[in-house]
């Protein structure tokens, strides 16, 4: 195997990428062979004659520079490399060569300037991959598809026995249910071309669309590649063939991919690309039984590859062919005519100036041909936003770097896929040092308000609960209007509506919205604590001030004494709103009803399409009242009962024993109330338990097999009530029980929204070191240190 290296440059690598010098370096290093290395080569050859093995001893690995080249020269397909520490089979050149590299690396004898090529984009984790690449948004599955078209697939670990990764051709299974056997995947269910991944691949072939495979370092082909990271983007590939095979008695679909740019070397198996010969093609025959044509894919003989035909996978003796068939060399060598232009949905490196993503750039006729609606194309674009920037490009404000574009980026220096975790800068988490401040486009309130239509509830509410409509400052422009939703025995929620007069006052919502955009808040996206996918970040940015708050994501805190003035004004505003509401409702003086003063403030920033999913604010360290001020884009806040209280049983199928509270609006509310009244002893009564099981639809099997019907545990409770929050509006959630029984979700509808939420954190429940600043008085601090102290909350109409 000759490892020749011409002076060649990977043309799709951009100038900013340092990997582009690979081939020049490779050429230089080949001149570095020392005399020792030719001796080694001879020794290696001599050994091969003996037993077809290349033995590299520790001593040889410590030889001078140039050894790598020599040893590569000495290796051939089928060789084995045996060392003291490991025995590495090398059935393919890739693996053999990469194994050798791995050994040289381990033994620290690689010459520093001898570089293997690296992938253009790579990631250490699935969430990072999904965050930065528009064409791979699959947190768990092996393929990423949209509208029944495949965009990308992940090759990782062992596939099926005859899967193949060469420099230009890939053969892989299409997914489907499999089990591991002797290190390989074997199917345990038949697939069909009319549904699931095989049908999407067929669709992708029909539309002549290329895909971008991603290869993980558990795949044998790159297991020892010195530059391979956990997940590595390969290149554009055509999908040339899909065919069914018979394996372990099941039908499984295989696919052949062919690299698009055949004249460029492939990073995962660098070798000089062979001359393109499109005249080599496998034989094609027609089945005498079904009249369908199939290519001769295997060496042994032609097989009918029509799954529906009685001759499928049968040889000329009408017996099922073996399952371990070798591929017909002509089938592997065949190449699509490069003049046949495929449809390329997205660039390897997302580029805002080019074809970041397919849909918006496609003419309506093409969308129609793909049976994709404009709405779906838009949604897809939002979902898949991501971008690639070269360092030199980031000098001034750029449209695509504005704040709605919160998806990740591929580092222009090292190719790492990063999520965007900082509000106003891009920072690569690799040690390459890439960090640029973004000049975010300021979003004007008028533009947001124009876009946010006042939307009244379009959601069908479960609970026909009329909110009590009240005014607390006199109706009309001067006063707030508020609605209150009361859930008996649980708690209440007050929605306080602002208006443009109030919003305009000094330190009011208009001013806060503008100040929050000035970069002082240091908002960040944080890893979700309880995500199924490790490393996934929240879908909103956050910053905490005051006492620490153990949120759904761990967030550091900045003491109130160091908080920007705009944060303190927002806190003062919420304090004042809370106070005015109590005065209005006559509860201010009633003993025990005044909640503790908030000492914590969490600010969330939502760029376009971000949101906060269902959660409660019921941590044990928190006081009774949670107040939120909404700034910027409108948002829908939905409140629902938690599943176990709504249905009366947990998602895993355990009946909540004594139904402590039959919350208003829950499933079977009347029946559950009646049962509770009839059997005050609760679960202690057999009759009560049986009646509950019957009510919830549990099977009436023998005692210990009572289970929920399949799928019922996954049901979600409906929205109990819903509010549309406009700029300047506030929401107060009252009582801890509300957080115990209910959960809330907020879905903003525009380009930019902030939510300021204040809570009282019970200092005694924090570690002593965390209580500093617990007595900080926001109002007096503002009066002392900031001008214009007359109207610190922005609520005073006289100023
Ligand atoms: O964005 C919002 O209005 C709600 C924020 C929220 O629920 C929270 O901070 O816990
Ligand atoms: Fe919340």
């Amino acid at each position: 195997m000759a490892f020749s290296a011409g002076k060649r440059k990977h043309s799709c690598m951009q100038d900013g990428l340092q990997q582009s010098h690979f081939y020049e370096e490779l050429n230089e290093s080949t001149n570095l062979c020392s005399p020792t290395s030719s001796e080694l080569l001879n020794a290696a050859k001599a050994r091969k004659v003996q037993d077809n093995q290349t033995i590299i001893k520790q001593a040889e690995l410590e030889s001078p520079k140039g050894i790598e080249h020599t040893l590569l020269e000495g290796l051939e397909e089928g060789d084995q490399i045996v060392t003291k520490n490991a025995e590495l089979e090398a059935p393919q050149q890739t693996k053999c060569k990469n194994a050798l590299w791995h050994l040289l690396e381990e033994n620290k004898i690689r010459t520093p300037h001898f570089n293997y090529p690296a992938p253009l984009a790579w990631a250490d984790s699935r969430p990072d991959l999904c965050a930065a690449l528009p064409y791979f948004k699959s947190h768990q599955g092996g393929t990423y598809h949209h509208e029944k078209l495949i965009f990308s697939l992940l090759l990782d670990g062992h596939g099926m026995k005859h899967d193949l990764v060469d420099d230009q051709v890939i053969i892989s299974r299409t997914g489907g249910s499999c089990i591991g056997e002797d290190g390989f995947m074997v199917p345990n269910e038949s697939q069909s071309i009319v549904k699931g991944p095989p049908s999407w691949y067929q669709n992708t072939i029909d539309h002549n669309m290329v895909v971008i495979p991603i290869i993980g370092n558990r795949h044998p082909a790159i297991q020892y590649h010195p530059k391979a990271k956990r997940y590595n983007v390969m290149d554009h590939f055509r999908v040339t063939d899909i065919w069914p095979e018979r394996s372990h008695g099941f039908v499984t679909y295989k696919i052949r991919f062919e690299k698009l740019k055949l004249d460029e070397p492939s990073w995962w198996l660098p070798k000089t690309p062979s001359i393109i010969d499109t005249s080599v093609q496998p034989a094609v025959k027609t089945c005498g039984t079904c009249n369908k044509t199939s290519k001769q894919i295997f060496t042994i003989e032609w097989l009918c590859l029509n799954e529906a035909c009685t001759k499928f996978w049968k040889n000329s003796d009408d017996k099922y062919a073996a399952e371990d068939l070798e591929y017909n060399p002509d089938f592997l060598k065949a190449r699509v005519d490069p003049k046949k232009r495929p449809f390329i949905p997205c660039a390897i490196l997302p580029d805002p100036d080019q074809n970041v993503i397919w849909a918006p750039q496609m003419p309506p006729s093409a969308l129609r041909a793909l049976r994709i609606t404009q709405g779906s194309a838009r949604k897809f674009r939002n979902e898949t936003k991501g971008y690639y920037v070269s360092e030199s490009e980031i000098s001034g404000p750029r449209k695509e770097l504005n704040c709605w574009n919160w998806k990740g980026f591929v580092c222009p220096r090292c190719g790492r896929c990063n999520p965007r975790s900082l509000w106003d800068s891009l920072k690569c988490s690799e040690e390459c040092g890439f960090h640029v401040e973004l000049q975010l486009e300021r979003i004007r309130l008028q533009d947001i308000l124009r876009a946010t239509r006042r939307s009244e509830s379009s959601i069908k509410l479960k609970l026909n609960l009329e909110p009590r409509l009240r005014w607390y400052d006199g109706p009309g422009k001067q006063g707030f209007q508020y609605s209150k939703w009361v859930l008996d025995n649980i708690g209440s929620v007050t929605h306080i509506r602002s208006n443009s007069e109030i919003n305009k006052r000094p330190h009011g919502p208009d001013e806060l919205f503008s100040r929050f955009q000035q970069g002082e808040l240091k908002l960040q996206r944080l890893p979700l604590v309880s995500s199924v996918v490790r490393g996934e970040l929240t879908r909103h940015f956050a910053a905490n001030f005051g006492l620490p708050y153990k949120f759904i994501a761990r967030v550091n805190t900045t003491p109130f004494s160091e908080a920007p003035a705009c944060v303190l004004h927002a806190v003062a505003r919420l304090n004042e709103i809370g106070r005015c509401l109590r005065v209005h409702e006559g509860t201010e003086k009633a003993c025990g009803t005044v909640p503790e003063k908030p000492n914590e403030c969490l600010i969330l920033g939502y760029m376009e399409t971000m949101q906060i999913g269902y959660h409660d604010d019921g941590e044990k360290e928190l006081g009774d009242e949670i107040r939120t001020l909404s700034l910027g884009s409108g948002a829908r806040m939905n409140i629902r009962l938690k599943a176990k209280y709504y249905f009366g049983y947990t998602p895993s199928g355990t009946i909540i024993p004594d139904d402590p509270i039959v919350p208003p609006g829950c499933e079977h509310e009347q029946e559950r109330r009646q049962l509770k009244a009839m059997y005050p002893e609760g679960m202690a009564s057999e009759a009560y338990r049986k009646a509950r099981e019957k009510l919830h639809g549990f099977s009436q099997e023998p005692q210990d097999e009572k289970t929920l019907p399949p799928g019922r545990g996954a049901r979600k409770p409906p929205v109990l009530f819903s509010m549309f929050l406009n700029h300047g509006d506030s929401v107060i959630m009252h009582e801890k029980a509300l957080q115990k029984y209910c959960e809330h979700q907020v879905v903003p509808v525009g380009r930019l929204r902030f939510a300021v939420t204040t809570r009282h954190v019970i200092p005694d429940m924090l570690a002593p070191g965390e209580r500093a600043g617990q007595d900080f008085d926001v109002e007096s601090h503002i009066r002392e240190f900031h001008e214009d102290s007359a109207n610190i909350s922005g609520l005073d109409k006289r100023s």
Side-chain angles (χ1 to χ4, degrees):
M1 175 198 71
F3 191 60
S4 65
K7 260 205 184 273
R8 186 181 274 282
K9 200 172 167 188
H10 204 309
S11 67
C12 63
M13 288 178 177
Q14 313 226 338
D15 285 344
L17 292 169
Q18 293 178 348
Q19 303 102 321
S20 61
H21 304 299
F22 158 64
Y23 285 95
E24 280 92 326
E25 286 169 11
L26 191 60
N27 206 35
E28 271 171 39
S29 79
T30 54
N31 299 327
L32 285 171
C33 293
S34 64
T36 340
S37 57
S38 61
E39 285 163 27
L40 273 168
L41 174 61
N42 290 335
K45 277 183 180 159
R47 276 197 301 273
K48 256 193 313 171
V49 173
Q50 282 172 17
D51 56 4
N52 200 31
Q53 282 190 347
T54 298
I55 315 285
I56 306 164
K57 294 203 193 88
Q58 198 67 22
E60 289 171 337
L61 285 169
E62 280 155 16
S63 305
K65 287 182 191 174
I67 179 176
E68 52 271 52
H69 174 69
T70 313
L71 292 174
L72 290 172
E73 284 285 335
L75 286 172
E76 270 175 16
E77 197 152 347
D79 281 0
Q80 283 196 327
I81 303 171
V82 182
T83 69
K84 260 196 335 201
N85 311 330
E87 186 165 328
L88 302 154
E89 259 185 74
Q92 290 171 20
Q93 287 183 355
T94 344
K95 193 172 165 186
C96 185
K97 211 157 59 179
N98 290 337
L100 178 59
W101 271 96
H102 182 72
L103 289 170
L104 295 172
E105 181 103 339
E106 254 187 357
N107 288 279
K108 298 191 175 39
I109 60 158
R110 279 185 54 213
T111 50
H113 57 280
F114 189 103
N115 267 331
Y116 240 49
L120 283 181
W122 57 272
D124 263 353
S125 71
R126 291 267 289 233
D128 288 3
L129 203 58
C130 297
L133 300 178
Y135 45 83
F136 191 81
K137 300 278 166 202
S138 177
H139 280 275
Q140 279 164 319
T143 50
Y144 177 62
H145 63 98
H146 178 79
E147 297 277 359
K148 301 185 179 130
L149 289 164
I150 303 277
F151 284 79
S152 185
L153 62 143
L154 180 63
L155 304 163
D156 200 15
H158 283 271
M160 290 176 86
K161 224 171 201 161
H162 288 279
D163 286 2
L164 175 140
V165 172
D166 201 347
D167 66 327
Q168 296 187 338
V169 170
I170 297 172
I171 293 178
S172 169
R173 66 192 190 99
T174 54
S177 182
C178 280
I179 47 167
E181 202 179 282
D182 296 334
F184 290 98
M185 302 305 279
V186 297
N188 63 356
E189 194 178 276
S190 280
Q191 289 183 293
S192 153
I193 191 71
V194 295
K195 62 174 202 264
S199 70
W200 308 330
Y201 273 111
Q202 184 62 62
N203 218 13
T204 310
I205 295 177
D206 294 347
H207 289 106
N208 194 18
M209 212 174 100
V210 299
V211 300
I212 306 179
I214 291 165
I215 189 161
N217 65 3
R218 292 186 188 145
H219 194 285
I222 62 149
Q223 209 170 358
Y224 300 109
H225 189 295
K227 291 287 171 67
K229 306 286 179 146
R230 180 68 193 95
Y231 299 106
N232 311 274
V233 175
M234 295 181 87
D235 212 330
H236 283 126
F237 277 77
R238 301 174 195 259
V239 190
T240 58
D241 300 86
I242 179 160
W243 69 95
E245 289 187 6
R246 198 183 131 91
S247 173
H248 291 66
F250 296 104
V251 175
T252 178
Y253 274 82
K254 295 288 218 59
I255 344 142
R256 177 186 184 277
F257 303 92
E258 188 177 310
K259 201 171 156 222
L260 181 64
K261 292 187 181 144
L262 296 169
D263 54 349
E264 289 181 359
S266 308
W267 67 262
W268 57 95
L269 176 49
K271 61 181 186 187
T272 309
S274 47
I275 293 159
I276 303 162
D277 179 2
T278 53
S279 66
V280 181
Q281 293 297 333
V284 176
K285 286 192 192 159
T286 305
C287 170
T289 307
C290 68
N291 235 358
K292 293 254 160 76
T293 51
S294 317
K295 287 182 184 172
Q296 181 171 349
I297 293 185
F298 308 100
T299 326
I300 166 171
E301 63 182 321
W302 177 89
L303 296 173
C304 171
L305 295 176
N306 170 17
E307 180 203 330
C309 177
T310 52
K311 290 279 186 243
F312 167 67
W313 205 256
K314 289 203 177 141
N315 55 31
S316 37
D317 302 337
D318 211 26
K319 299 247 163 54
Y320 277 121
E323 296 187 351
D324 281 359
L325 298 180
E326 270 190 22
Y327 293 115
N328 172 8
D330 286 350
F331 178 66
L332 297 181
K333 272 191 225 142
R335 295 289 180 266
V336 176
D337 184 348
K339 290 202 280 299
K340 196 176 164 214
R341 300 291 306 150
F343 176 56
I344 304 174
C346 32
I348 300 284
L349 297 174
D351 182 344
D353 295 330
Q354 293 173 21
N355 53 341
V356 177
I357 197 69
W358 54 299
Q361 280 74 27
M362 288 168 68
S365 56
L367 288 176
R368 271 197 304 277
L370 289 169
R371 284 175 248 114
I372 291 166
T373 62
Q374 298 276 3
S376 159
R378 212 173 307 119
K379 181 164 174 276
F380 183 58
R381 185 173 131 94
N382 277 340
E383 276 305 301
T384 54
K385 256 177 213 165
Y387 52 91
Y388 172 78
V389 272
S390 76
E391 228 167 322
S392 57
E393 275 177 298
I394 308 167
S395 44
R398 281 172 53 105
K399 198 165 154 279
E400 53 285 340
L401 298 182
N402 73 17
C403 52
W404 45 260
N405 198 342
W406 56 273
K407 296 288 166 65
F409 66 99
V410 178
C411 174
R413 241 180 238 179
C414 69
R416 183 189 181 112
C417 292
N418 290 276
R420 171 142 161 213
S421 57
L422 304 173
W423 182 264
D424 49 13
S425 68
L426 300 181
K427 189 168 185 211
C428 179
S429 34
E430 193 67 358
E431 279 168 4
C432 72
F434 179 75
H435 186 182
V436 287
E437 301 284 333
L438 299 178
Q439 318 250 320
L440 293 184
E441 177 196 340
R442 287 283 157 73
I443 296 191
R444 295 186 319 164
L445 193 59
Q446 301 96 290
D447 297 339
I448 289 222
L449 299 185
R450 216 174 294 133
T452 306
R453 251 176 292 132
R454 269 184 182 263
S455 109
E456 287 315 316
S457 171
S458 55
I459 294 180
K460 285 224 171 354
L461 301 181
K462 174 73 192 166
L463 190 63
N464 194 11
L465 190 83
E466 264 311 306
R468 294 168 208 169
L469 200 62
R470 309 249 181 99
W471 303 92
Y472 86 74
D473 204 9
K477 279 285 182 193
Q478 297 292 308
F480 283 93
Q481 177 200 0
Y482 74 88
S483 322
K484 197 168 190 118
W485 310 77
V486 181
L487 292 170
D488 292 333
N489 302 325
I490 294 184
S492 59
V493 180
T494 315
H495 174 193
I496 300 128
R497 282 172 218 179
S498 190
N499 60 47
S500 53
E501 283 286 307
I502 297 169
N503 290 345
K504 272 199 283 239
R505 292 176 193 162
H507 308 309
D510 292 3
E511 191 183 313
L512 293 177
F513 180 72
S514 157
R515 294 238 222 123
F516 276 22
Q517 288 188 64
Q518 285 167 12
E520 290 176 298
L521 300 180
K522 301 289 167 234
L523 293 157
Q524 287 193 35
R525 287 173 69 204
L526 300 150
L528 278 164
V529 176
S530 59
S531 168
V532 271
V533 191
R534 241 183 81 233
E536 197 179 357
L537 304 185
T538 55
R539 272 178 85 99
H540 50 260
F541 291 85
N544 198 69
F545 299 90
L547 293 196
Y549 168 45
K550 295 176 184 64
F551 182 45
I552 42 176
R554 264 179 263 286
V555 49
N556 289 334
T557 196
T558 305
F560 275 152
S561 56
E562 291 165 29
C566 55
V567 172
L568 300 180
H569 281 293
V571 174
R573 183 179 185 82
L574 283 167
N575 286 349
E576 184 61 5
I577 285 177
R579 194 189 66 78
C580 290
L581 188 67
R582 288 195 305 278
V583 168
H584 183 79
E585 296 205 314
T587 54
E588 175 79 341
K589 293 194 190 68
C591 187
T593 53
V594 179
E596 295 276 10
K597 207 165 177 182
N599 50 19
E600 179 272 346
C601 167
L602 180 73
I603 300 189
L604 300 186
Y606 302 87
M607 294 182 183
E608 194 176 325
T609 73
M610 295 184 112
Q611 55 168 273
I612 189 163
Y614 275 107
H615 68 283
D616 64 56
D617 288 14
E619 288 85 352
K620 59 180 185 328
E621 300 88 353
L622 299 184
D624 285 345
E625 220 170 85
I626 317 277
R627 303 176 193 150
T628 302
L629 170 66
S630 207
L631 301 171
S633 299
R636 180 160 291 286
M637 179 168 188
N638 295 321
I639 299 194
R640 68 181 188 191
L641 289 167
K642 290 183 186 168
K644 66 176 176 179
Y645 299 112
Y646 177 77
F647 295 115
Y649 54 83
T650 65
S652 59
T654 309
I655 289 184
I656 46 169
D658 43 356
D659 223 354
I661 191 151
V662 180
C666 69
E667 193 171 63
H668 307 306
E669 185 180 346
Q670 293 315 324
E671 295 88 331
R672 278 161 69 183
R673 287 236 161 103
Q674 279 164 9
L675 285 174
K676 225 169 122 69
M678 267 166 75
Y679 302 99
E681 68 276 34
M683 280 308 209
S685 151
E686 176 72 6
Y688 175 75
R689 194 176 48 76
K690 282 206 165 133
R692 287 282 305 282
E693 280 172 0
K694 188 157 177 234
L695 188 65
H696 300 311
F698 279 61
S699 70
Q700 295 302 299
E701 298 299 315
Q703 175 83 24
D704 42 342
E705 282 173 34
K706 286 185 177 145
T707 50
L708 269 179
R712 284 204 57 187
R715 289 197 303 160
K716 298 280 178 259
V719 174
L720 208 52
F721 57 95
S722 169
M723 292 157 277
F724 192 81
L725 313 179
N726 279 293
H727 170 64
D729 287 3
S730 312
V731 169
I732 303 185
M733 294 188 277
H734 313 261
E735 306 303 332
K736 274 193 101 127
L738 183 83
Q739 307 296 340
K740 177 172 177 193
Y741 295 109
C742 297
E743 53 191 5
H744 55 280
Q745 168 208 46
V746 181
V747 186
V749 293
R751 287 176 68 193
L752 183 61
R753 173 174 181 264
F754 297 101
V756 186
T757 303
T758 60
R759 304 167 178 85
H760 175 76
V761 179
I762 303 162
D764 287 351
M765 297 189 71
L766 295 177
E770 293 178 322
R771 295 177 201 159
Q774 56 172 300
D775 298 323
F776 187 89
D777 188 82
V778 170
E779 284 76 4
S780 55
H781 184 82
I782 302 178
R783 279 196 193 96
E784 203 173 326
F785 290 100
H786 300 282
E787 292 170 28
D788 199 9
S789 59
N791 180 17
I792 57 168
S793 65
L795 284 170
D796 191 336
K797 42 189 178 273
R798 286 159 303 191
S799 53

